[in-house]
């Protein structure tokens, strides 16, 4: 499916009849917001990248848990939406997502029952999850066969010291053979997540894992009827996943699906650094003629200037990610008017539950009541702090509220 132009204004809005502007203090601050133009750019860019590489895009919905965003990704051509739990799968299915890739093990009576109910209710939805042990595979087979259902599964390949997944190709192949014998399961392919490999230079280890997986997929091919799904790639190494798997020997009827998630809003921190590195090594990405841009911003107000070199802003750990760098100011407004860029004179140096501490350098002009716009790092952990985010245009006019479902 080729990229389709989409209208990024939701059909339903509590704010449509009462126009509001963030910079005019028409909404309560702090607030997390998404720039419509940047979001549209990022959806278009990643879909175009996947199509240029000849792979499918299955973005991780767990990044945003925002059903409206899921729908925009699917409309633009996403092959699936990725989730991490049965609950997240229920949200995606209720939003009308046609294929849900749960890149995790399905365990626990309540979770298994929920998926069974979802399969009964959403009969046209293609739901796939992972297995990495015979014990889990048997439990799932017994349950779903008793319900007269079949559960589609992927074998997960992991690494020693990592998270889930078989610890060797030999273990994965043995599990493949057992799954193929179980009546309640249908084997669809192989999954991994290369992002568990870290270090100063993880790329050689990642490439070795990907090559190992491609060879394993060839051994698994005869146990899979129809299309073989080979899936990996988070938001950092998706180009490397494409490079290795597209060049490798693999099953004849093989679909490669990449699963970046944070691209949807990108950031001004760790994912900007990762994307800079990707653009430096990937000619195809450069040839698209544009790039990902940061779409997620945090807007807050200066509530105190207790010292000449110190200001306090009214956001904190309850409002923004802080695990991969503190939010940093990128724009400064007073009574709706833009002031000089704060990037050289104001720095966020500390954060508490509801307060952020700013260091004011010489030349900084900060007053109580000023509005500061902050870029963030690691969007996953900002999204999950908000029940709703504001969708805004480039002038910070509010277009709608986007509800999350964490």
């Amino acid at each position: 499916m080729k990229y389709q132009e989409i209208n990024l204004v939701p059909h339903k809005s509590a704010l449509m009849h009462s126009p509001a502007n963030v910079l005019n203090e028409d909404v309560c601050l702090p607030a997390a917001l998404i720039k419509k133009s940047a979001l549209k750019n990022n959806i278009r860019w990643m879909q175009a990248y996947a199509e240029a590489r000849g792979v499918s895009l299955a973005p991780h919905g767990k990044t945003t848990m925002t059903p409206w965003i899921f729908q925009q990704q699917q409309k633009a051509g996403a092959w699936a939406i990725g989730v991490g739990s049965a609950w997240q799968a229920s949200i995606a299915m209720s939003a009308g997502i046609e294929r849900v890739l749960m890149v995790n093990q399905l365990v626990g009576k309540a979770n298994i029952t929920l998926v069974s109910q979802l399969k009964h209710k959403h009969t046209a939805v293609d739901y796939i999850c992972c297995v990495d042990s015979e014990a889990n595979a048997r439990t799932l087979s017994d349950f779903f066969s008793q319900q007269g259902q079949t559960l589609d599964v992927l074998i997960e390949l992991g690494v020693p010291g990592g998270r889930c997944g078989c610890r060797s190709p030999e273990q994965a192949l043995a599990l493949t053979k057992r799954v193929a014998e179980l009546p309640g399961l249908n084997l669809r392919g192989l999954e991994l997540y290369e992002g568990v490999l870290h270090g100063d230079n993880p790329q050689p280890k990642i490439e070795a894992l990907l090559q190992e997986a491609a060879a394993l997929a060839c051994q698994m091919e005869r146990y899979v009827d129809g299309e073989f799904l080979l899936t990996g790639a988070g938001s950092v190494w998706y180009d490397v996943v494409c490079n290795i798997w597209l060049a490798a020997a693999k099953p004849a009827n093989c679909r490669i699906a990449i699963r970046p998630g944070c691209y949807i809003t990108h950031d001004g921190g760790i994912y900007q650094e990762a994307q800079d590195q990707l653009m430096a090594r990937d000619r195809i990405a450069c040839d698209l003629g544009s790039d990902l841009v940061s779409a997620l911003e945090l807007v807050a107000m200066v509530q105190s200037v207790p010292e000449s070199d110190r200001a306090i802003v009214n956001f904190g750990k309850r409002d923004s990610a802080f695990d991969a760098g503190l939010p940093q100011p990128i724009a400064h407004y007073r009574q709706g008017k833009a002031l000089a860029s704060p990037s050289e004179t104001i720095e966020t140096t500390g954060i508490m539950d509801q307060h952020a501490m700013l260091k004011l350098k010489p030349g900084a002009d900060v007053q109580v009541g000023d509005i500061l716009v902050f870029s963030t790092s690691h969007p996953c952990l900002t999204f999950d702090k908000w029940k709703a985010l504001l969708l805004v245009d480039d002038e910070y006019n509010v277009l709608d509220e986007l509800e999350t479902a964490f």
Side-chain angles (χ1 to χ4, degrees):
M1 179 177 180
K2 292 296 183 183
Y3 172 80
Q4 296 181 356
E5 190 70 17
I6 55 177
N7 178 13
L8 289 185
V9 178
H11 299 297
K12 181 179 177 183
S13 171
L15 296 170
M16 284 296 187
H17 301 299
S18 180
N21 184 279
V22 175
L23 303 181
N24 290 337
E25 302 180 36
D26 294 335
V27 300
C28 292
L29 299 177
L33 56 83
I34 298 175
K35 289 283 190 68
K36 183 187 84 168
S37 60
L39 182 71
K40 185 175 181 178
N41 171 83
N42 294 349
I43 291 174
R44 179 175 55 241
W45 192 93
M46 190 59 75
Q47 190 64 45
Y49 180 83
E51 291 172 2
R53 300 307 305 264
V55 302
S56 296
L57 179 62
H60 254 324
K62 70 180 181 64
T63 297
T64 69
M65 283 309 297
T66 304
W68 181 79
I69 291 180
F70 297 174
Q71 293 164 355
Q72 308 317 305
Q73 291 171 307
Q74 180 171 269
K75 288 178 183 177
W79 179 75
I81 294 295
V83 298
S85 71
W87 163 253
Q88 293 175 1
S90 73
I91 298 300
M93 291 188 193
S94 296
I97 299 308
E98 298 169 358
R99 181 174 292 104
V100 177
L101 183 56
M102 187 178 126
V103 192
N104 218 342
Q105 282 65 37
L106 177 60
V107 297
K109 182 171 65 175
N111 288 328
I112 294 171
T113 301
L114 174 57
V115 168
S116 176
Q117 293 169 344
L118 291 170
K119 287 172 67 65
H120 277 301
K121 181 178 181 180
H122 303 281
T123 55
V125 175
D126 185 12
Y127 168 86
I128 313 170
C129 66
C130 296
V131 293
D132 68 356
S133 70
E134 183 174 346
N136 183 219
R138 284 188 174 279
T139 298
L140 295 172
S141 176
D142 290 345
F143 181 90
F144 283 95
S145 60
Q146 289 171 10
Q147 303 300 313
Q149 296 175 312
T150 301
L151 181 69
D152 290 335
V153 300
L154 302 170
I155 301 297
E156 180 165 9
L157 179 64
V159 298
R163 56 189 197 190
C164 302
C166 298
R167 283 340 199 209
S168 69
E170 293 75 21
Q171 184 183 357
L173 185 58
L175 180 59
T176 296
K177 296 175 181 178
R178 297 298 298 125
V179 167
E181 298 170 349
L182 295 173
L185 303 183
N186 177 44
L187 184 61
R188 295 282 296 271
L190 179 65
E191 181 275 337
L192 60 76
Y193 174 55
E194 74 292 339
V196 296
L197 293 170
H198 302 288
D200 293 336
N201 182 25
Q203 185 169 339
K205 292 186 292 184
I206 288 170
E207 292 178 345
L209 174 64
L210 295 169
Q211 290 166 346
E212 193 172 64
L216 172 61
C218 292
Q219 293 179 289
M220 294 172 58
E221 180 178 9
R222 66 190 183 97
Y223 298 99
V224 176
D225 292 329
E227 181 180 82
F228 191 105
L229 176 59
L230 182 59
T231 178
S235 300
V236 176
W237 300 102
Y238 54 89
D239 64 316
V240 174
V241 172
C242 291
N243 292 342
I244 299 299
W245 281 352
L246 288 171
K250 51 191 172 290
N253 187 14
C254 184
R255 178 186 297 273
I256 297 171
I258 58 173
R259 308 192 309 271
C262 292
Y263 79 90
I264 189 67
T265 60
H266 201 45
D267 71 10
I270 57 173
Y271 289 109
Q272 181 60 59
E273 294 174 3
Q275 184 71 2
D276 287 343
Q277 294 170 9
L278 183 146
M279 295 295 283
R281 65 179 180 249
D282 189 343
R283 178 187 57 79
I284 295 175
C286 294
D287 288 346
L288 294 178
S290 59
D291 199 357
L292 299 176
V293 294
S294 182
L296 178 62
E297 296 178 350
L298 183 68
V299 182
M301 300 191 74
V302 177
Q303 67 184 79
S304 179
V305 187
E307 303 166 23
S308 61
D309 63 348
R310 187 175 181 83
I312 310 300
V313 185
N314 68 338
F315 78 85
K317 295 179 180 179
R318 304 290 180 90
D319 307 301
S320 176
F322 55 91
D323 64 314
L326 298 179
Q328 295 297 333
I330 57 173
H332 184 185
Y333 295 87
R334 182 175 298 154
Q335 297 180 346
K337 304 297 184 181
L339 302 181
S341 171
S343 59
E344 298 297 326
T345 58
I346 307 174
E347 179 185 6
T348 309
T349 56
I351 191 169
M352 301 178 71
D353 284 356
Q354 308 279 186
H355 301 82
M357 280 64 76
L358 306 183
K359 180 177 176 57
L360 307 181
K361 301 176 183 179
D365 174 19
V366 175
Q367 298 179 13
V368 172
D370 286 358
I371 289 177
L372 288 169
V373 180
F374 293 80
S375 66
T376 64
S377 182
H378 196 185
C380 296
L381 296 189
T382 294
F383 268 96
D384 68 7
K385 292 171 173 53
W386 295 88
K387 292 183 178 180
L389 294 90
L390 302 181
L391 183 71
V392 303
D393 63 18
D394 289 347
E395 286 72 46
Y396 292 89
N397 295 307
V398 178
L399 304 174
D400 212 308
E401 292 184 358
L402 306 182
E403 295 183 356
T404 64
F406 287 98

